[in-house]
Amino acid sequence: MSKQTVTITDNRTGKSIEYPIHEGIHGPSVIHSQNLYKDLGMFVYDPAFMTTASCTSKITFIDGDKGILLYRGYPIEQLAEHSSYLEVCYLLINGELPRQQQTIDFTNNINHHTMLHEGLLDFYKGFRHDAHPMSMLVGVVGALSSYYPDQIQDIKNPEHRYDAAIRLLAKMPTIAANIHKYIIGQPYIYPRNNLGYVDNFMNMMFSVPKEDYKFSETAKKALEIILILHADHEQNASTSTVRLAGSSQAHPFSCVAAGIATLWGPAHGGANEAVIKMLEQIGDIKNIPQYIKKFKDKNDPTRLMGFGHRVYKNHDPRATIIRNICHKLLKELDTTQQPLFEVAMELERIALEDDYFIERKLYPNVDFYSGMIFKALGIPLNMFTVMFAVARTVGWISQWMEMMEEPAVKIGRPRQLYTGSAQRDYVSIDNR
Ligand code: SDX
């Protein structure tokens, strides 16, 4: 770590303290302010963690100003073009791209853990048929921890942690596909060990007994790319939730269930579903101007879904990649989506010329286009965020593993600025 420091002076007391600056490989340096309370009796105040580095990590790097996203140092554009989702999973978990034999072993390992305990299928029956799939995903993944109690006995054991990662990566597509089948009232399609990860997932989602599901190479490539693009994203809200839950030594599957609950929000992973609802509500290009007014109106909570990002203040590199695939797929697969895509393209064009969005550096994010690809693939609207969760599982679990590898994991415990009542004595009911 570097010897540079910053000095913080409390001008009420004249006390000055130096704090070390730590520099990373890429991106902003950090001020190591952990002793601030001990030295100056104060906390750092940073609601929503706008400028707080909660950890060190070697997994993903984002440069929001330059629109850069790296997984273990590899640019997302190169991984989207040359890699596969399972290879990216290996990379995120292990830190290096797999060699031939490692690829074979990792793939076999995943393929042989895709089945669910039959008892877990009973959990689905407790949900109403119109339950939101994300409510089911939170419930079933949380319940999964009860089938693997051994994972919690020794999460300091790297082999146990690795087994937990493999099991979760392997089972998420099965859990997700079963949710879809349960809601539409069709029989579950069991995983097939002879199919690749994406083929197996789509087969479980869309095939019916005695009839396999066939989909085009373009559709398969589009889904592979979407899973790669959503795999990890530094310390976003759901990943930070998984880390905080993991810091209490909770079962890894329950930590991921907490991450799934966080991802559900429309400000986070729920945005892909909200984008389609917004585009369908706009309906036609001629209606865009009135909606742009609503998005800009301070008194109107409606936001342009799929636009803006806490980190990307230039373009979201994932949106650029996905936009091209979306255009190609809609042309080939589903021209009925063209009007939706045309409204999206016109909305993007108008928004990018509007001072309100330009001044606030609001650009399309990954969710602006992903929904249209899911729709073109025939995935139901309420399953979009489940697809995001399946993809992000590797990010959650690799960040959890990275944290648990630390020699001493301290429980996360933020403080606060108390602005409530000053201390006062109890008043009996007769005197209130
Ligand atoms: C994801 O963190 C991640 O990495 C997340 C993610 C991942 O991979 O994990 O990338 C996935 O969650 C992508 C984001 C998906 N969400 C949406 O598309 C929902 C719409 N976007 C907004 O809700 C918003 O842009 C956020 C939540 C994404 C970011 O919010 P910030 O950074 O907290 O920004 P802000 O709310 O403080 O807004 C700054 C200004 C405000 O106006 P002023 O008060 O300055 O006048 O921009 C405005 C906001 O009102 N604004 C928008 C807007 N987003 C921000 N106005 C209209 N439409 C929008 N979409």
Side-chain angles (χ1 to χ4, degrees):
M1 295 291 188
S2 70
K3 287 274 172 281
Q4 283 102 340
T5 61
V6 289
T7 302
I8 296 178
T9 302
D10 181 349
N11 62 11
R12 300 170 301 178
T13 62
K15 196 171 179 186
S16 282
I17 307 281
E18 283 195 349
Y19 292 94
I21 294 172
H22 298 329
E23 285 166 346
I25 301 296
H26 290 312
S29 303
V30 298
I31 302 168
H32 195 157
S33 59
Q34 206 152 52
N35 290 333
L36 192 74
Y37 179 62
K38 187 163 64 61
D39 300 335
L40 295 175
M42 286 191 279
F43 299 138
V44 172
Y45 182 59
D46 181 20
F49 311 119
M50 303 282 283
T51 60
T52 292
S54 61
C55 61
T56 60
S57 180
K58 297 178 170 58
I59 298 174
T60 293
F61 174 71
I62 300 171
D63 183 322
D65 296 328
K66 298 190 186 113
I68 292 172
L69 170 56
L70 309 176
Y71 288 165
R72 298 286 189 179
Y74 293 100
I76 193 66
E77 295 80 1
Q78 295 178 26
L79 292 169
E81 188 178 347
H82 303 298
S83 191
S84 69
Y85 178 68
L86 267 194
E87 183 173 80
V88 164
C89 288
Y90 184 97
L91 171 67
L92 289 171
I93 289 173
N94 296 291
E96 296 297 337
L97 289 167
R99 291 188 298 279
Q100 198 67 41
Q101 191 54 46
Q102 289 165 328
T103 300
I104 293 166
D105 296 344
F106 187 71
T107 304
N108 279 338
N109 207 354
I110 292 285
N111 281 352
H112 290 86
H113 285 91
T114 50
M115 268 205 302
L116 305 181
H117 187 292
E118 283 293 299
L120 195 71
L121 301 183
D122 291 338
F123 281 84
Y124 288 80
K125 291 188 194 115
F127 289 95
R128 285 167 50 117
H129 274 267
D130 58 358
H132 193 288
M134 284 299 278
S135 65
M136 296 180 71
L137 193 63
V138 172
V140 175
V141 173
L144 190 66
S145 54
S146 67
Y147 287 82
Y148 299 93
D150 60 330
Q151 240 84 40
I152 198 160
Q153 270 157 12
D154 184 9
I155 48 178
K156 294 309 283 178
N157 175 337
E159 280 171 29
H160 274 207
R161 292 200 296 270
Y162 190 77
D163 286 348
I166 292 292
R167 281 193 172 104
L168 212 45
L169 284 179
K171 294 181 196 304
M172 280 300 266
T174 313
I175 292 171
N178 284 359
I179 288 172
H180 174 55
K181 287 299 195 188
Y182 175 79
I183 286 177
I184 62 175
Q186 284 187 4
Y188 301 134
I189 297 297
Y190 280 68
R192 300 242 305 264
N193 294 349
N194 62 326
L195 293 179
Y197 196 86
V198 168
D199 292 86
N200 195 26
F201 187 14
M202 294 303 272
N203 190 57
M204 290 189 286
M205 283 279 288
F206 292 113
S207 72
V208 290
K210 305 274 185 275
E211 187 189 319
D212 284 352
Y213 181 77
K214 295 269 175 292
F215 59 105
S216 77
E217 282 310 308
T218 306
K220 188 178 149 196
K221 181 68 181 160
L223 188 55
E224 190 94 51
I225 287 176
I226 278 211
L227 293 175
I228 290 172
L229 296 181
H230 286 79
D232 191 46
H233 214 236
E234 197 207 72
Q235 305 311 319
N236 58 85
S238 51
T239 300
S240 299
T241 301
V242 172
R243 279 182 172 260
L244 194 56
S247 73
S248 75
Q249 316 290 320
H251 191 293
F253 297 173
S254 56
C255 297
V256 168
I260 293 167
T262 307
L263 187 76
W264 189 1
H268 191 11
N272 51 22
E273 179 180 343
V275 165
I276 296 297
K277 285 179 178 167
M278 172 189 72
L279 294 175
E280 285 172 345
Q281 204 178 10
I282 293 172
D284 188 292
I285 288 176
K286 68 178 183 323
N287 301 327
I288 291 178
Q290 74 195 51
Y291 278 88
I292 292 280
K293 273 203 206 88
K294 282 171 66 66
F295 299 144
K296 291 156 59 173
D297 178 356
K298 279 275 148 260
N299 302 315
D300 187 327
T302 320
R303 286 201 161 178
L304 171 49
M305 300 313 280
F307 263 67
H309 198 276
R310 169 60 56 75
V311 176
Y312 289 124
K313 298 306 176 191
N314 186 316
H315 67 290
D316 179 340
R318 302 168 300 176
T320 310
I321 297 167
I322 232 172
R323 185 176 190 264
N324 302 333
I325 285 278
C326 184
H327 211 169
K328 186 176 172 202
L329 189 70
L330 292 189
K331 274 209 174 106
E332 176 190 306
L333 267 196
D334 186 333
T335 50
T336 58
Q337 298 302 315
Q338 283 303 350
L340 213 59
F341 185 72
E342 277 149 23
V343 170
M345 297 289 281
E346 182 61 6
L347 185 56
E348 182 191 39
R349 186 189 66 76
I350 295 174
L352 293 179
E353 290 169 0
D354 185 298
D355 288 343
Y356 173 91
F357 295 94
I358 294 168
E359 282 155 20
R360 291 166 179 78
K361 299 176 186 280
L362 302 176
Y363 295 90
N365 58 50
V366 66
D367 295 293
F368 190 65
Y369 289 97
S370 57
M372 276 179 282
I373 291 182
F374 288 142
K375 207 169 160 62
L377 295 175
I379 291 161
L381 186 57
N382 62 8
M383 282 289 291
F384 287 7
T385 311
V386 169
M387 302 299 284
F388 191 153
V390 170
R392 185 54 57 88
T393 296
V394 64
W396 291 327
I397 203 72
S398 50
Q399 299 263 356
W400 172 80
M401 290 171 85
E402 181 177 64
M403 177 180 72
M404 299 311 289
E405 279 154 18
E406 295 287 324
V409 178
K410 288 183 80 61
I411 190 165
R413 199 334 185 156
R415 302 303 304 273
Q416 62 177 18
L417 176 68
Y418 176 69
T419 56
S421 301
Q423 184 167 332
R424 51 184 170 165
D425 295 329
Y426 182 80
V427 178
S428 69
I429 194 160
D430 305 334
N431 298 319
R432 287 174 201 163

